[in-house]
Amino acid sequence: MNKILIILLMLSSTISEQTKTEFDIVLAGGRVIDPETKLDAIRNVGIIDNRISMISTEPLIGKEVINVTGLVVAPGFIDLHVHGRSNIEQEYQLHDGVTTALELEWGIEFLKEWYASRQHKARINYGASVSWPLERFKAMEKYQSAVKELYQIALQGTSDIGMLTNTILPASAESQTRAEMDQTMNNIKNSLAEGGIGIGVPIGYLPKTKAAEMFRVFQLAGEINALIYTHVREPNIISIQEVIADAALTGAPLHIVHINSMSLGQIQFALDMVQAAKNKGLDISTELYTYTAGST
């Protein structure tokens, strides 16, 4: 009993000390996520001299208190749109303050093997979506020998997106049979189970894909609540309307990548459509890059 009482007194003293400390900044009531410790909970964050000093369930005193209720508090910048796959790119990202780099537009082929290749080697947090172009390619019987070659290259850790797209994209002009579409859906589900963060659907690189085939991918995403990240079919409003319509009809969560370069001079109209969809309760978001020319 005495030991228990001492421990309780120590805990009480610790709580009292942290609640009396005046922090430079307090982020109050946010959903705090830390990949290293697996923390994902509502917490208050105290910052002193630009460093996190306290993460607490108790109210904290701050010279400046920022109410972040309903928002996520995470370490560093989270970049949703990268294509670099190695530590070379991650070194540059670190200089920019990026602590999580996610390849979500194109996705990563052979996800299980890629995650294994990055374990204990990556400099920052990493992740990727399922690569719909590859899963589609894998489902087409005539390309099985090429799939095996790509797999062997991926195992060696020497694959790059340019080589992969040069192999996969020529097949994109070919329509899939019903059986091949079914197999594509199974491939996507298997890759999601291997850690895919949603489905990367860069239909802009496979623009001849039939609308019905594209709709099947959205249907699957809606059924299992998997996020879709898409580079739309063409840089025009109709293509943006296509993915919003597919998302609305299937309930698929949707993220439209670099909407500025996909809507060009009609950027405000495109943003108005996204906002109108959100106002209707649809789970649709978008992004735009800050540079004036394409840069990866």
Side-chain angles (χ1 to χ4, degrees):
M1 288 294 292
N2 288 339
K3 288 182 179 179
I4 294 173
L5 179 60
I6 291 170
I7 291 172
L8 288 174
L9 287 172
M10 290 173 63
L11 287 173
S12 177
S13 174
T14 301
I15 292 171
S16 176
E17 289 174 7
Q18 73 183 41
T19 55
K20 288 180 180 179
T21 302
E22 183 178 54
F23 299 91
D24 296 335
I25 300 173
V26 170
L27 304 176
R31 178 182 171 189
V32 177
I33 294 179
D34 178 20
E36 183 176 6
T37 63
K38 312 300 183 186
L39 175 66
D40 183 354
I42 303 300
R43 293 288 188 271
N44 300 307
V45 179
I47 299 171
I48 297 177
D49 293 332
N50 297 317
R51 296 182 67 86
I52 294 174
S53 178
M54 180 68 64
I55 298 176
S56 174
T57 57
E58 299 296 318
L60 301 177
I61 301 170
K63 297 174 183 175
E64 180 182 4
V65 177
I66 303 173
N67 183 357
V68 293
T69 301
L71 301 177
V72 170
V73 181
F77 292 117
I78 300 173
D79 192 337
L80 301 177
H81 194 144
V82 303
H83 297 300
R85 301 173 176 223
S86 72
N87 282 359
I88 295 173
E89 290 86 1
Q90 289 191 349
E91 287 178 10
Y92 286 98
Q93 290 157 355
L94 274 169
H95 283 292
D96 287 336
V98 174
T99 56
T100 300
L102 305 175
E103 160 59 280
L104 301 178
E105 179 197 25
W106 177 271
I108 295 281
E109 310 77 14
F110 309 109
L111 262 177
K112 181 180 178 181
E113 289 73 19
W114 182 73
Y115 276 132
S117 73
R118 300 303 293 146
Q119 192 171 13
H120 307 306
K121 296 178 182 177
R123 298 183 183 278
I124 57 179
N125 301 315
Y126 57 92
S129 63
V130 173
S131 178
W132 163 69
L134 177 78
E135 304 308 338
R136 181 184 190 276
F137 189 68
K138 284 167 56 180
M140 302 174 79
E141 186 62 33
K142 65 187 293 186
Y143 295 112
Q144 292 310 299
S145 60
V147 170
K148 291 177 182 178
E149 291 177 12
L150 290 176
Y151 181 71
Q152 292 302 318
I153 293 171
L155 287 180
Q156 298 168 15
T158 56
S159 61
D160 66 81
I161 194 168
M163 178 273 295
L164 287 160
T165 54
N166 288 337
T167 304
I168 294 170
L169 292 187
S172 67
E174 301 178 31
S175 298
Q176 285 193 316
T177 65
R178 172 66 65 172
E180 288 171 338
M181 280 194 277
D182 291 342
Q183 185 58 53
T184 299
M185 299 307 112
N186 288 331
N187 291 347
I188 290 172
K189 286 188 282 188
N190 291 337
S191 290
L192 284 169
E194 294 174 351
I197 306 173
I199 309 169
V201 185
I203 191 173
Y205 292 94
L206 292 77
K208 295 182 180 180
T209 303
K210 301 295 185 183
E213 184 185 334
M214 193 72 266
F215 189 72
R216 281 287 305 276
V217 179
F218 275 77
Q219 278 184 314
L220 173 64
E223 289 167 6
I224 61 179
N225 197 35
L227 297 165
I228 282 188
Y229 301 87
T230 184
H231 174 140
V232 301
R233 193 182 295 271
E234 301 284 352
N236 56 41
I237 290 296
I238 292 175
S239 295
I240 294 171
Q241 288 175 327
E242 176 188 20
V243 295
I244 292 177
D246 283 351
L249 293 171
T250 62
L254 171 67
H255 181 80
I256 303 170
V257 305
H258 48 56
I259 196 169
N260 49 343
S261 61
M262 302 317 296
S263 58
L264 302 177
Q266 300 190 78
I267 178 65
Q268 189 58 56
F269 181 25
L271 292 175
D272 288 345
M273 286 197 298
V274 171
Q275 188 59 53
K278 292 175 68 66
N279 292 343
K280 294 286 187 180
L282 300 179
D283 186 359
I284 297 179
S285 60
T286 189
E287 71 189 34
L288 50 86
Y289 41 62
T290 57
Y291 31 80
T292 54
S295 171
T296 55

